[in-house]
Amino acid sequence: MRDAMPYLRGEVSGKIVAITLDDGYRDNVEQALPILKDLGFSATCYVVSGRVGTQNTWDDEAATVHQPLMDWGQVSEWITEGMEIGAHTRTHARLKLCGRPQIDEEIRGSKEDLEAALGVAITQFAYPYGSWDERVAQATAIAGFEAAVTTDRGRAPVGSSLFALPRLNMKGGRAWRNLLSTCVKWP
Ligand SMILES: [Zn+2]
């Protein structure tokens, strides 16, 4: 996402793909990282700052199997290997349902946590569950982030709102078909 910003801002022209991963699962560093490095790609991983080193317990309501999350050493390794870390709140909150103080705490707080622990500027944000509205987007901008991604499906042309960037879900067997059909639909 860091490298995509000049394109999104219209300072550089060209067609690019930004690879993003949400939540900071341990298999991002164990499985995705070696593949990304082999292929010469970078990627942005959005981490839940208050859950580093634990599991995705926020998915309790969905009764899914819990997956281990990266610990701080693995998050640091991700950065050392040339990848980027973004913020994804402190607790994986549904921001649209939160009051303003909690929105600020989750968004600004996650930036502060990550910057204090990692010693690098954190400029990218992803809304958990894709839950955002104008209030949430505004709080993200005020907190000092440069851009935020949603779970809305689509491509981001130049001039897109930098705090409501759409994405394509690449989960499962239909991933490549999704990507190809999107590229064909929006030449
Ligand atoms: Zn998430």
Side-chain angles (χ1 to χ4, degrees):
M1 285 303 296
R2 178 181 55 212
D3 297 340
M5 291 308 296
Y7 294 87
L8 291 164
R9 291 193 182 115
E11 298 160 358
V12 178
S13 64
K15 293 176 184 176
I16 54 153
V17 171
I19 302 170
T20 63
L21 301 156
D22 286 16
D23 301 339
Y25 293 104
R26 197 181 295 168
D27 60 12
N28 292 169
V29 80
E30 290 172 348
Q31 296 183 38
L33 182 59
I35 297 168
L36 290 165
K37 281 171 60 186
D38 272 0
L39 297 173
F41 289 141
S42 59
T44 300
C45 183
Y46 299 100
V47 166
V48 182
S49 68
R51 297 291 180 267
V52 172
T54 68
Q55 297 191 327
N56 60 326
T57 47
W58 58 81
D59 279 330
D60 274 349
E61 21 179 319
T64 51
V65 176
H66 288 165
Q67 300 289 335
L69 299 166
M70 288 191 268
D71 60 26
W72 285 113
Q74 289 167 318
V75 176
S76 291
E77 185 189 343
W78 181 263
I79 292 174
T80 308
E81 295 293 348
M83 308 291 152
E84 182 179 37
I85 290 293
H88 198 43
T89 73
R90 275 183 162 156
T91 67
H92 208 271
R94 259 179 225 280
L95 294 170
K96 215 169 144 179
L97 305 181
C98 297
R100 186 59 195 253
Q102 200 190 347
I103 289 174
D104 287 338
E105 152 96 15
E106 288 282 353
I107 296 174
R108 194 186 308 129
S110 64
K111 189 178 200 298
E112 289 170 358
D113 293 346
L114 293 170
E115 289 181 344
L118 302 168
V120 296
I122 301 296
T123 61
Q124 301 295 326
F125 188 84
Y127 305 113
Y129 309 102
S131 171
W132 73 282
D133 56 20
E134 283 307 319
R135 251 172 0 134
V136 172
Q138 198 186 30
T140 309
I142 290 170
F145 288 98
E146 291 180 11
V149 294
T150 67
T151 54
D152 300 339
R153 187 175 183 274
R155 198 190 65 137
V158 173
S160 300
S161 165
L162 294 177
F163 291 90
L165 294 170
R167 292 188 288 177
L168 280 183
N169 191 347
M170 296 297 288
K171 196 176 180 179
R174 298 177 63 84
W176 285 111
R177 211 178 309 164
N178 267 347
L179 181 63
L180 289 174
S181 69
T182 303
C183 294
V184 168
K185 228 191 285 176
W186 288 300

